[in-house]
Amino acid sequence: MSLTTNFNYLQPTSFKLIIDRKNFPNLEFFCQNVTHPGLIMPAAEMPVRRLQSIPFPGESLTINELSCNILLDENMESYSEMYNWLKRNQVTDMEGQGFMNRGTTRNPPTNADITLSILSSHNNLTNQFRYIDAIPTSLGDIQFESTAAGTEFITFTATFRFSYFELKTVDATTGSITDTFDVTGNTLS
């Protein structure tokens, strides 16, 4: 691995979130910020007499939740989409409920792939995080305030859990997207 030739810093506004455009168009449009989840791998400790224990790589990898802060529009369409998605995932009738419903002509899916596109300083696609089989896990509070000054807009938080994520790299010359590692972290290049 060599030193990078691109010394431009990633800007916090250089992203685009894509969530199943057909079923959730407002979530994508009104997304204000996204927190990419962290990874945790607890070390396995080997005790050593008269010394501090020696850490070894752990066996399990825990992925935190994906968190999005979404701007609330006047008609509350973005909130309604999240609310309906959460309600749809609440199993009340087991008949006809398949695990990880990918959707039918009359019912939207219970899970969706979410893509976080990272853009360069010239707004060109450079990388993508793809969160596979994401489901909503929480819908944040909405705070109405009669004493608010200025034009502050109301936002709410939505969090998602997912099976795993992929990191994809975009070739600047061809525009082709390639995997940089698989679920186990092995390099694919």
Side-chain angles (χ1 to χ4, degrees):
M1 183 177 275
S2 62
L3 183 63
T4 183
T5 57
N6 182 358
F7 292 102
N8 294 326
Y9 299 119
L10 184 61
Q11 299 172 9
T13 57
S14 299
F15 75 94
K16 181 178 180 183
L17 188 75
I18 301 168
I19 306 173
D20 187 358
R21 289 181 179 154
K22 178 181 170 191
N23 295 305
F24 313 108
N26 293 297
L27 290 176
E28 175 182 333
F29 181 75
F30 290 108
C31 183
Q32 296 297 294
N33 65 43
V34 178
T35 303
H36 173 69
L39 302 165
I40 302 168
M41 181 183 292
E45 302 284 338
M46 182 178 85
V48 177
R49 206 170 142 203
R50 295 187 192 156
L51 293 174
Q52 183 177 357
S53 59
I54 300 172
F56 287 96
E59 292 182 0
S60 63
L61 186 63
T62 303
I63 304 173
N64 295 338
E65 293 182 332
L66 174 67
S67 177
C68 302
N69 202 18
I70 301 169
L71 188 64
L72 189 60
D73 58 291
E74 284 184 344
N75 294 332
M76 296 183 64
E77 294 290 335
S78 54
Y79 186 85
S80 295
E81 285 178 5
M82 272 302 301
Y83 175 76
N84 290 334
W85 192 1
L86 274 167
K87 289 294 287 180
R88 194 171 45 256
N89 287 352
Q90 181 184 15
V91 178
T92 55
D93 179 15
M94 293 303 288
E95 189 171 322
Q97 293 287 332
F99 179 70
M100 296 300 221
N101 172 19
R102 280 291 187 180
T104 62
T105 53
R106 58 184 184 128
N107 293 331
T110 56
N111 62 325
D113 292 348
I114 298 174
T115 303
L116 175 61
S117 297
I118 309 301
L119 308 175
S120 70
S121 56
H122 301 294
N123 282 338
N124 296 323
L125 182 63
T126 60
N127 291 291
Q128 285 185 330
F129 288 106
R130 189 162 169 245
Y131 308 97
I132 309 300
D133 294 332
I135 58 168
T137 56
S138 75
L139 184 56
D141 301 334
I142 298 176
Q143 181 178 351
F144 294 96
E145 184 178 350
S146 63
T147 60
T151 55
E152 288 185 31
F153 299 106
I154 297 175
T155 61
F156 66 93
T157 302
T159 58
F160 301 89
R161 292 290 311 257
F162 48 90
S163 300
Y164 63 96
F165 73 88
E166 300 170 337
L167 175 60
K168 297 181 178 278
T169 303
V170 178
D171 186 317
T173 56
T174 64
S176 63
I177 299 173
T178 57
D179 291 328
T180 54
F181 69 90
D182 65 12
V183 179
T184 61
N186 296 326
T187 302
L188 299 175
S189 312

